[in-house]
Amino acid sequence: MNVIFFALVAIAFATAAWHQLRWDGEGEAPMAQLTGGVIDAAGGAVELAIALIGVMTLFLGLIKVAEAGGLLAILARLIRPLMVRLFPDVPPEHPAMGAMILNLSANMMGLGNAATPFGIRAMQALNQLNTRPGTATDSMVLFLAINTSSVTLLPTGVIALRAAAGSSDPAAILPTTLFATLCATIAGITAAFFFRRLFPLPAAPPTPPSDGDTEPQPAKDPFALPEEPTQETTAMPPDVDRPYPGWVSALALLGFLALIPLSVLYGQAIAPWIIPSLVLGFLTFGLLRGVRIYEVFVEGAKEGFYVAVRIIPYLVAILVAVGMLRASGALGAFVAFLGPITGPLGLPPEALPMALLRPLSGSGAYGIMASIINDPDIGPDSYVGYLVTTLQGSTETTFYVLAVYFGAVGIRRLRHALPACLTADLVAIIAAVIAVGVVFGSL
């Protein structure tokens, strides 16, 4: 991100300097326009973060109520039969299985950072089964491919940003995000199974011979799971180990798949009902599960407040860089060059920088998306606005995820992890273009 941030600023400065040297004295000087763009973008970033606080606290409060009521455990029990079949080399009762299920369940609910501790614990547990230290196993790669493309039922952060940008229908992207993430997940799984043939596992190191009757002691794994997992990052509901009967999971899967065509065909009619229904539904669920919904909601809302405040520096940095690009004329030239190529494919050039940056930097892509939907000439409820917010909710910061998860267990040989995850990202972009075009009338 350091290189990307510097490159954006340097390109903007060089473009404005070139225009300044050729300036004929009419109108505002290019460097003065660049200065105004910097100041306006910095102030706009803070205003955006302040507008985001209210909606972010609302959604994280609701998610906290659902989590306290056991919604994650219910989702985990539903998808466990499928996970057992996808990961036959992971014992069903191994800690890795429970951690992976909880990580994917949290991603489904759009919990973002809350899913990361479960993911790291899953990677640590998978590494206990790894007979080739430092090399990613097939299960590790498949887990990351599913993680980076995870089906998203509720992209809370993107909905909050759309609401802060003045969208008349912040939840309109739910059907398009659901379709795009489902396609990406299928592509990620398929790619992981396909590429594993091209990147076979190396031979396992030989086991050192034992000395007499003394059994060899394995080397201590510095990344091994602790004896007693800490409550903050690794606690798992006991119900995860008791999956629902197979027919219940099958019915749930069929019902979920039936939502895809319904949401795409009737997404615009359903969208106005979504947010009020979520508020009532989550509170009702928590109440029926014996949760003290008011206190728990307030506790989760506090997290939303701090999250919204913490992102202000990231928003200022990337929005200033994008504002400089726009004020210097570099962004306009880029759009004019790519327009004839990407426009007919359903990917307007305004959205292309965000699509390209998303796998590299989550904060960078988030800032570009924010600048696009807050642009008065575009807005959150335009085709471009729907597309970039769908892309944000349906793709992942792939390089960051690979670095964090593999770095947590000392994996140096990634094997087919990168091509599998990037395949899922590419399919997510294509599926998002198709879904937004169908739902919002471009196709």
Side-chain angles (χ1 to χ4, degrees), residues 64-89:
K64 194 74 171 180
V65 171
E67 184 180 2
L71 184 59
L72 287 185
I74 293 174
L75 290 174
R77 294 173 67 188
L78 284 173
I79 66 176
R80 177 168 176 157
L82 177 62
M83 293 289 290
V84 170
R85 287 167 175 79
L86 285 175
F87 296 89
D89 51 343

Side-chain angles (χ1 to χ4, degrees), residues 219-246:
K220 182 175 178 59
D221 183 2
F223 303 102
L225 293 171
E227 292 292 330
E228 295 293 336
T230 59
Q231 179 68 23
E232 297 85 27
T233 60
T234 59
M236 299 183 196
D239 287 344
V240 173
D241 291 329
R242 300 198 307 270
Y244 290 116

